[in-house]
Amino acid sequence: MKTLRRYSFPYLIWMILFVLVPTLFLVVLAFSDLSLYRLSAFSIRFDNFAIFQESYIITALSNSLIYAFVVTILSFLIGYPVAFYLTTLSEKTKKILIALLILPLWTNMLVRITAWERIFSPNSIFTDIFNVSIPILGTQAAVVIGLLALYLPFMVFPIFSVLDKLDPKMIEASKDLGANDTQTFIKVIFPLSLGGVVSGFIMTFLPSLTAFALPETLGWRRVPMIGMEIQKKFIIEGFQAFSINQGALISILIMLFSIASFILITRVDKEGETLI
Amino acid sequence: MKKRLIVLNHVKKSFGDLTVLDDFNLYINENEFITLLGPSGCGKTTCLRLIGGFESPDEGTIEFDGKVINDLEPNEREINTCFQKYALFPHLNVYNNVAFGLKIKKVPKAEIEERVMQTLKLVKLEDYASRSISTLSGGQQQRVAIARAIINRPKVLLLDEPLGALDLKLRQEMQYELKEMQRQLGITFVYVTHDQEEALTMSDVIVIMNEGKILQIGSPEDIYNEPKNRFVANFIGESNIFEGKMIDDYWVHFCGRDFKCVDKGFEEFEEVDVVIRPEDFDFVPPSKAKIVGRVDSLIFRGVHYEINVIVDGHEYTIHTTKYREIGDKVGLAVEPANIHIMKKEASK
């Protein structure tokens, strides 16, 4: 088996070059005065933290946290019943419905965002057909609905995969012991699906938190989110001193969320079965 | 007369094209330890699930305490189940698994605690209350499953091959304990197993099933000593089964010889199956024996030897504590009372 190991090298090297090294770069950038496009000697500096006192960053950050939270909760409320419903279907219907959930994910995200942009414009396809329009571009609602549409499947899948594997004997045992359907759900089914719920939360919360293309398109610039600010910080490098260092620092803050989530997932779901 | 607690009337149950039970009739008395015994696929588990409420019959009625309960959900029945692989809740510890039923019934907390500890004591797990299920051995999980069911003081406890996953020693221990518990609690036990020894050890009544039909109902002694047909004789214990003919009352002919027996009431020359249990043969000096043969094989089985003797081309299996060499010439004797005559099966 050892000889097979070398076939994993190309991707491992790729990951070192394009994941590990850039991440290390990001850390160095965040805590120094290094300029990315003019590599030279640099000195450690913590002044970059001042960025977290800027009101526009605070707004963007709190927006991101709030929207991500709202989207996650809504996804859960909408997604859990769907996941549960899927498990009750015959294998064939189940497959068809799952395909319907997956298919949109195979469409490029930017295309889907553009589609929502058209729908939320004053003159959309709905105006032509039904003579109604939903002109909410540039509002929080547009951003939240867009994020919801984008990430809802990621709530459904992990919950479905846990529920689908749930031993039907658990439900029988619960009913045998006198629990009705509601009690069985609260005391047995839901607690046993928590692993999937946590995965679902993380898989909708994290991408919502870091979204930048969607809020930019659907929210124009009126609904700032932290992803947009990071993007800006990196683009305007050169016009403003230490901009890229500040961007790196914000990125690392966001990365901490990812690391915390990863730790949480490995705690609740030791076999990683809920991760797709 | 004992009170009939559960009655199954003309019950039919199919899964798709497969009819598992057809015109199935059975009654279960109060405080009885009844065992449904049969090979896998004989419908015994389906029968149990019908009583528990996990399946509903396509036709016929199930009565409990005089009332038809066909449409009652499992949670509406005064019946608890000890599942085959225990089905303990992995997210709850031992205490909370056992307390589950009482919590659902909103029993006061102090009473729950008292009854849980009392029940855990009964299954000898009082020190394990706060343990997580995954840290328990198979035998301990089994006890938790029993505790979780009996704490609700059901009228009937259904047990679906509860000892299947345990090793032999533990299984024998648990058999004894289950029987003891049933006596103490006065609960009707409906026990499903394919293990004939388990059935013989524990039951008041054994129901032998095959292909969705009841072949024989009786006490363990009845079923062992007077099997009704070839299938039952084969399934319960090991048997020598010979094709024979009744010559007259108390006289049967098989393996080329006439034997005295204790059965009568057959037609003249009626074809019958003759059963002789392996332990009912005795060795006698060949000169005095009616049956004389040669030892063909010998296996040491612990308590006894299993010896195959060939007599005129017929093979006899004998369980004995006496040793014989392979190739030895031996004489066999059998008491008339140990020759069991069974009517031939009408079909098959």
Side-chain angles (χ1 to χ4, degrees):
Chain A
M1 289 310 285
K2 274 191 175 167
T3 53
L4 290 177
R5 264 167 50 177
R6 61 168 161 262
Y7 295 106
S8 69
F9 289 170
Y11 187 48
L12 290 180
I13 291 166
W14 174 277
M15 285 203 293
I16 289 169
L17 280 179
F18 297 106
V19 179
L20 189 62
V21 170
T23 307
L24 292 176
F25 243 119
L26 213 55
V27 176
V28 173
L29 279 172
F31 297 99
S32 72
D33 57 2
L34 180 68
S35 176
L36 187 58
Y37 306 128
R38 286 187 302 276
L39 290 184
S40 60
F42 61 88
S43 54
I44 302 295
R45 126 195 172 111
F46 294 100
D47 294 359
N48 299 332
F49 277 95
I51 191 69
F52 292 121
Q53 284 165 356
E54 298 287 340
S55 67
Y56 69 99
I57 291 295
I58 296 171
T59 310
L61 201 54
S62 67
N63 273 354
S64 281
L65 284 169
I66 292 168
Y67 298 158
F69 186 71
V70 169
V71 166
T72 306
I73 296 295
L74 287 176
S75 306
F76 169 70
L77 294 177
I78 300 168
Y80 199 102
V82 174
F84 190 78
Y85 172 68
L86 282 174
T87 62
T88 63
L89 300 172
S90 71
E91 284 302 314
K92 199 177 161 194
T93 337
K94 206 187 274 180
K95 276 194 190 115
I96 294 171
L97 278 182
I98 290 173
L100 285 176
L101 274 169
I102 291 177
L103 268 180
L105 301 184
W106 289 344
T107 313
N108 186 289
M109 193 176 74
L110 290 175
V111 174
R112 278 180 291 151
I113 293 172
T114 311
W116 282 107
E117 189 189 11
R118 304 299 330 143
I119 290 171
F120 290 154
S121 306
N123 281 307
S124 69
I125 187 164
F126 293 112
T127 326
D128 298 339
I129 302 174
F130 305 110
N131 203 24
V132 287
S133 65
I134 322 161
I136 56 170
L137 275 184
T139 66
Q140 296 180 358
V143 173
V144 169
I145 294 174
L147 287 172
L148 195 57
L150 225 51
Y151 298 123
L152 184 56
F154 295 105
M155 179 65 85
V156 176
F157 292 139
I159 296 175
F160 165 75
S161 91
V162 173
L163 286 177
D164 206 38
K165 282 185 220 136
L166 186 78
D167 185 356
K169 282 269 183 295
M170 292 293 139
I171 296 166
E172 289 188 353
S174 168
K175 297 196 77 178
D176 184 77
L177 293 165
N180 60 29
D181 287 349
T182 316
Q183 288 166 324
T184 299
F185 181 79
I186 295 170
K187 296 220 164 212
V188 176
I189 299 174
F190 187 71
L192 287 177
S193 67
L194 265 184
V197 174
V198 170
S199 293
F201 264 57
I202 288 166
M203 288 170 71
T204 44
F205 185 80
L206 280 186
S208 304
L209 182 71
T210 54
F212 71 93
L214 186 136
E216 200 165 70
T217 315
L218 300 186
W220 294 334
R221 302 231 156 210
R222 292 190 207 149
V223 190
M225 286 181 75
I226 198 67
M228 295 158 64
E229 299 304 333
I230 295 172
Q231 185 200 21
K232 253 188 276 171
K233 286 285 173 198
F234 277 80
I235 287 172
I236 60 173
E237 161 76 353
F239 301 102
Q240 190 191 324
F242 306 122
S243 155
I244 210 163
N245 307 79
Q246 294 164 345
L249 192 58
I250 306 169
S251 302
I252 284 170
L253 174 75
I254 300 297
M255 203 187 297
L256 290 180
F257 279 99
S258 312
I259 293 169
S261 306
F262 188 75
I263 292 169
L264 186 62
I265 272 195
T266 51
R267 285 281 159 84
V268 289
D269 178 15
K270 293 197 170 62
E271 289 89 39
E273 58 179 334
T274 58
L275 289 170
I276 305 176
Chain B
M1 206 183 99
K2 280 189 172 181
K3 186 177 154 197
R4 290 185 179 185
L5 191 59
I6 298 172
V7 183
L8 280 79
N9 268 325
H10 306 291
V11 167
K12 181 179 177 174
K13 180 69 193 172
S14 309
F15 297 103
D17 294 336
L18 185 74
T19 303
V20 181
L21 298 176
D22 197 3
D23 197 19
F24 190 84
N25 296 287
L26 177 70
Y27 65 84
I28 295 165
N29 289 326
E30 202 165 24
N31 293 347
E32 209 168 54
F33 195 126
I34 186 168
T35 299
L36 308 180
L37 176 65
S40 53
C42 74
K44 56 191 193 296
T45 296
T46 303
C47 178
L48 202 72
R49 291 175 61 81
L50 284 165
I51 299 173
F54 304 112
E55 309 285 351
S56 57
D58 302 335
E59 287 170 26
T61 57
I62 299 171
E63 284 170 35
F64 180 82
D65 219 354
K67 287 183 213 73
V68 174
I69 55 164
N70 280 25
D71 298 327
L72 286 191
E73 291 275 305
N75 48 317
E76 296 164 325
R77 301 185 183 200
E78 285 175 274
I79 297 172
N80 284 119
T81 307
C82 189
F83 291 89
Q84 191 165 18
K85 293 198 175 89
Y86 320 137
L88 299 173
F89 302 124
H91 61 297
L92 301 176
N93 63 14
V94 171
Y95 181 96
N96 285 319
N97 261 281
V98 177
F100 191 90
L102 298 184
K103 283 187 178 169
I104 292 289
K105 285 192 200 105
K106 306 236 164 35
V107 173
K109 221 174 175 179
E111 194 192 332
I112 293 182
E113 190 164 343
E114 196 194 321
R115 275 169 72 180
V116 169
M117 292 322 288
Q118 197 187 328
T119 313
L120 283 178
K121 206 169 171 185
L122 185 73
V123 295
K124 300 187 185 114
L125 283 176
E126 61 265 52
D127 299 333
Y128 291 81
S130 55
R131 287 276 287 270
S132 132
I133 293 300
S134 57
T135 65
L136 301 183
S137 70
Q140 289 163 342
Q141 292 191 20
Q142 161 72 81
R143 285 154 200 260
V144 176
I146 292 169
R148 186 178 70 170
I150 61 176
I151 196 169
N152 304 292
R153 297 175 187 157
K155 289 199 175 153
V156 178
L157 182 64
L158 308 177
L159 301 112
D160 189 4
E161 308 219 9
L163 308 182
L166 306 182
D167 61 63
L168 182 67
K169 188 104 179 100
L170 201 54
R171 204 156 65 215
Q172 287 169 340
E173 247 175 71
M174 287 300 298
Q175 284 172 12
Y176 174 75
E177 280 178 30
L178 276 175
K179 180 73 201 163
E180 203 44 47
M181 234 181 266
Q182 190 258 339
R183 271 194 211 121
Q184 266 182 45
L185 298 166
I187 297 175
T188 307
F189 274 37
V190 185
Y191 196 97
V192 159
T193 184
H194 61 260
D195 183 334
Q196 45 103 4
E197 188 214 309
E198 213 166 274
L200 290 172
T201 317
M202 303 164 78
S203 324
D204 298 321
V205 176
I206 297 178
V207 179
I208 308 258
M209 293 177 62
N210 190 33
E211 295 178 343
K213 297 235 175 328
I214 295 177
L215 301 183
Q216 188 169 2
I217 302 179
S219 69
E221 291 89 343
D222 285 350
I223 289 194
Y224 190 83
N225 293 329
E226 295 294 330
K228 253 191 187 160
N229 59 37
R230 188 177 265 266
F231 180 87
V232 176
N234 250 332
F235 200 73
I236 291 276
E238 283 178 69
S239 294
N240 295 288
I241 304 180
F242 308 105
E243 310 232 320
K245 240 182 240 170
M246 290 304 284
I247 310 165
D248 198 354
D249 280 356
Y250 309 119
W251 279 101
V252 62
H253 176 92
F254 64 91
C255 297
R257 290 175 182 79
D258 296 344
F259 291 87
K260 214 171 161 40
C261 64
V262 293
D263 295 86
K264 59 164 183 166
F266 292 88
E267 283 168 38
E268 213 183 339
F269 302 121
E270 182 175 339
E271 305 230 333
V272 291
D273 283 325
V274 179
V275 172
I276 301 172
R277 296 286 180 192
E279 66 273 20
D280 288 340
F281 282 110
D282 288 319
F283 285 132
V284 291
S287 52
K288 291 180 193 164
K290 190 180 249 178
I291 316 166
V292 180
R294 245 170 230 293
V295 175
D296 184 52
S297 68
L298 176 135
I299 303 165
F300 178 60
R301 297 282 291 262
V303 186
H304 60 258
Y305 293 102
E306 182 175 312
I307 298 178
N308 277 331
V309 176
I310 304 281
V311 182
D312 304 336
H314 298 283
E315 192 176 300
Y316 291 57
T317 302
I318 296 152
H319 291 175
T320 173
T321 51
K322 290 169 197 147
Y323 180 77
R324 290 288 185 277
E325 292 275 350
I326 292 177
D328 275 1
K329 193 176 171 191
V330 291
L332 298 174
V334 59
E335 293 282 322
N338 289 331
I339 296 175
H340 307 294
I341 314 291
M342 304 179 305
K343 281 199 177 280
K344 279 263 184 206
E345 292 282 274
S347 58
K348 284 194 288 189

